[in-house]
Amino acid sequence: MLPALASSSVLLCLAAVATASVPIVEVGPANFAKDVMESPKDVLVLVYVPWHPYSDQMFSALSELAQDIVSDDRLVLAINDGDAAPIAHPWRNTNLLWFSMYLFKQNAKESPVVYDVQNKGHALEDFKKFLGEQLDYTNPQTVLGAE
C-alpha cells in the first residue's frame, strides 16, 4: 500500500498508479532485502519525505513513469518514506538519502547507481533520461515505451 500524504495532488497521482501497467512497491526495512536486493529485476527506488514540497513533483513523475512503462519483465519501481521507514544502506553506515533515486541493477545490487533528484530534476523526462542512460536493455523502448 502506498503512503497517504497530505497533498491532494500527490493523492490524485497515487490513485492513477492503480491503473498503471507497472505497480509501485513500497519498501522499508522489513522488505528491502526481499523486494530490492533479492529481486531478479532491476529496481528503481525513490526515497522521499512526505512533508517536503518536492514530493508532489516526484510522485507525479513516478506515477507517469509507471503509466509509460509497457513491460515489467525487467524493471520494478519502488518508493521509500525516508522519514517513517528509513532504510540502512547495505553498503554504507548511513540511511538512504532523502530525495534520491537508486537504481539497483539486476547483476550489481551491491553497487546501485545514485540519481540525485534535487540536482538532476524532478520531472518525468528527467527520470526517463536517467533510466535510458543506465539500463542496458537491447531495446529500452520495449520497457519505456515509444517516445
Side-chain angles (χ1 to χ4, degrees), residues 48-136:
Y48 70 96
V49 288
W51 47 261
H52 197 281
Y54 287 135
S55 291
D56 283 0
Q57 287 179 302
M58 293 187 321
F59 274 100
S60 177
L62 197 66
S63 65
E64 289 178 51
L65 182 62
Q67 297 286 342
D68 283 359
I69 294 174
V70 294
S71 169
D72 67 349
D73 291 345
R74 295 181 264 183
L75 182 65
V76 173
L77 300 178
I79 59 171
N80 169 252
D81 182 336
D83 252 358
I87 296 173
H89 262 283
W91 59 97
R92 291 191 194 155
N93 292 327
T94 62
N95 290 336
L96 295 179
L97 300 174
W98 293 344
F99 297 117
S100 291
M101 283 194 306
Y102 296 84
L103 180 59
F104 292 85
K105 293 185 180 183
Q106 142 184 24
N107 295 322
K109 298 289 177 136
E110 295 299 327
S111 302
V113 179
V114 180
Y115 177 87
D116 182 354
V117 175
Q118 286 182 308
N119 294 316
K120 292 189 177 181
H122 308 94
L124 171 63
E125 292 309 314
D126 299 321
F127 291 2
K128 287 174 91 173
K129 180 180 177 187
F130 170 69
L131 287 175
E133 291 169 353
Q134 295 299 323
L135 299 178
D136 57 355

Side-chain angles (χ1 to χ4, degrees), residues 6-65:
S7 168
S8 60
S9 61
V10 171
L11 293 174
L12 289 173
C13 289
L14 294 177
V17 170
T19 62
S21 60
V22 174
I24 297 177
V25 178
E26 186 172 11
V27 295
N31 66 333
F32 181 77
K34 176 184 170 279
D35 290 342
V36 176
M37 300 304 285
E38 296 170 10
S39 174
K41 301 178 183 182
D42 297 320
V43 182
L44 181 67
V45 178
L46 173 64
V47 181
Y48 70 96
V49 288
W51 47 261
H52 197 281
Y54 287 135
S55 291
D56 283 0
Q57 287 179 302
M58 293 187 321
F59 274 100
S60 177
L62 197 66
S63 65
E64 289 178 51
L65 182 62

